[in-house]
Amino acid sequence: MFVLSTRSLSTRFGFVNSAIATTLTQRNFSDGRTLYQNNFTNSIREVSNVIKRRFEDGKMARIAKPAPNWEAKAVVGGDVKTLSLKDFASKYLVMVFYPLDFTFVCPTELIAFSDRVQEFRDINTEVVGISCDSHHAHIAWDKIPKNQGGLGGIKIPLIADLKKEITRRYGCLFEETGHPFRGTFIIDDKGTLRVAHINDTEIGRSVDETLRLVKAIQFANVHGEVCPANWKSGDRTIIPDPKKSKEYFAQLKDDK
């Protein structure tokens, strides 16, 4: 007979809650052995489902795939709240990873996004900043005036990824230093990751370019056409068809 104990389940699948294993019905036989009854198969299926969910939760971010879910404490308008990716369902989301609070390029970026956050919200988009600092550090930094290197009352949420789980999942962790690179990820209103840009720590980002990318994604989603290089709202787009695309290319001038 095959005997599976609670301990063996916990040992072999350390991330499976041991409570699952204890749900297996036991029957004591005259010889003192403990065997599991007919619901063994159902219980193993339950264990398998937990394992599957864990692997799905821990998956790495990939373009054109569902964005990995996350949940963490965040500073929102000076208050501490728990936010998750699910809170932004049916919206576009720009995730702005940055290295550290109380640094140099970081406040310039976060303030730039904060100052123009209404432009994002006008197109059904939210922006969040993410670092591996604690929410206490976020609050302290936000209270410092802008002219002293602080954020001075930022208008976007700051996620506290203290365990670095989100940063790792999105491929942004600078392992040698333990803090994020400057990563910009755009998730569409269906929860699909559409843009993943990662800059080295010394290189600040452009709010204009981020807005342009969101608008380009939205245009492509609605119209089914593709946006050429340097496209901005109102510019011509391309019908992704070998014949119909010639209408766009016909306007281009050949270099002489």
Side-chain angles (χ1 to χ4, degrees):
M1 296 291 292
F2 181 83
V3 181
L4 183 63
S5 68
T6 300
R7 183 174 181 179
S8 65
L9 275 173
S10 300
T11 301
R12 297 191 64 181
F13 305 105
F15 47 81
V16 178
N17 191 326
S18 61
I20 295 172
T22 59
T23 62
L24 303 177
T25 301
Q26 301 177 346
R27 185 180 69 176
N28 292 323
F29 286 80
S30 58
D31 60 1
R33 290 180 302 170
T34 302
L35 299 176
Y36 293 105
Q37 275 288 25
N38 293 333
N39 64 346
F40 176 82
T41 302
N42 290 335
S43 298
I44 289 299
R45 186 179 296 116
E46 184 179 357
V47 171
S48 176
N49 288 337
V50 171
I51 295 171
K52 182 180 178 181
R53 287 196 297 271
R54 273 301 180 92
F55 277 117
E56 287 176 347
D57 289 343
K59 65 185 178 183
M60 295 293 291
R62 295 174 60 192
I63 289 292
K65 299 293 183 181
N69 191 35
W70 52 264
E71 181 177 281
K73 287 184 178 180
V75 176
V76 185
D79 297 324
V80 178
K81 300 181 179 180
T82 298
L83 290 182
S84 75
L85 181 59
K86 295 176 182 177
D87 292 322
F88 302 95
S90 301
K91 291 180 177 289
Y92 286 73
L93 178 65
V94 178
M95 298 170 61
V96 180
F97 289 86
Y98 65 95
L100 289 165
D101 294 352
F102 301 99
T103 51
F104 317 107
V105 176
C106 298
T108 68
E109 292 186 312
L110 295 174
I111 291 169
F113 277 102
S114 176
D115 287 346
R116 298 180 64 182
V117 69
Q118 192 57 49
E119 294 180 55
F120 287 95
R121 290 173 178 164
D122 288 343
I123 56 173
N124 191 36
T125 304
E126 294 291 337
V127 181
V128 298
I130 305 175
S131 78
C132 298
D133 299 279
S134 72
H135 59 281
H136 300 293
H138 287 340
I139 291 173
W141 194 31
D142 192 37
K143 289 181 178 179
I144 298 175
K146 297 177 183 178
N147 61 8
Q148 296 179 25
L151 301 180
I154 197 165
K155 300 174 186 175
I156 63 174
L158 294 182
I159 308 298
D161 183 26
L162 197 57
K163 295 181 179 179
K164 305 177 184 180
E165 293 174 349
I166 306 171
T167 306
R168 279 199 176 93
R169 198 169 296 162
Y170 280 80
C172 271
L173 186 63
F174 191 170
E175 294 285 353
E176 289 83 350
T177 62
H179 60 62
F181 288 108
R182 299 190 189 281
T184 308
F185 293 78
I186 302 177
I187 301 168
D188 69 15
D189 57 346
K190 301 296 189 296
T192 301
L193 181 60
R194 303 295 296 277
V195 168
H197 285 173
I198 298 179
N199 295 1
D200 203 349
T201 56
E202 295 88 351
I203 306 164
R205 286 160 285 192
S206 167
V207 176
D208 287 332
E209 173 63 5
T210 306
L211 274 167
R212 187 190 76 85
L213 288 169
V214 173
K215 292 176 181 179
I217 295 166
Q218 293 178 341
F219 186 95
N221 283 356
V222 172
H223 299 282
E225 298 182 12
V226 294
C227 302
N230 300 317
W231 178 90
K232 295 187 293 291
S233 295
D235 290 352
R236 297 187 67 172
T237 52
I238 305 171
I239 299 173
D241 176 85
K243 293 182 178 180
K244 295 180 180 179
S245 62
K246 292 181 179 179
E247 180 181 344
Y248 173 85
F249 292 114
Q251 68 174 326
L252 303 181
K253 297 180 180 180
D254 289 326
D255 294 331
K256 294 182 179 179

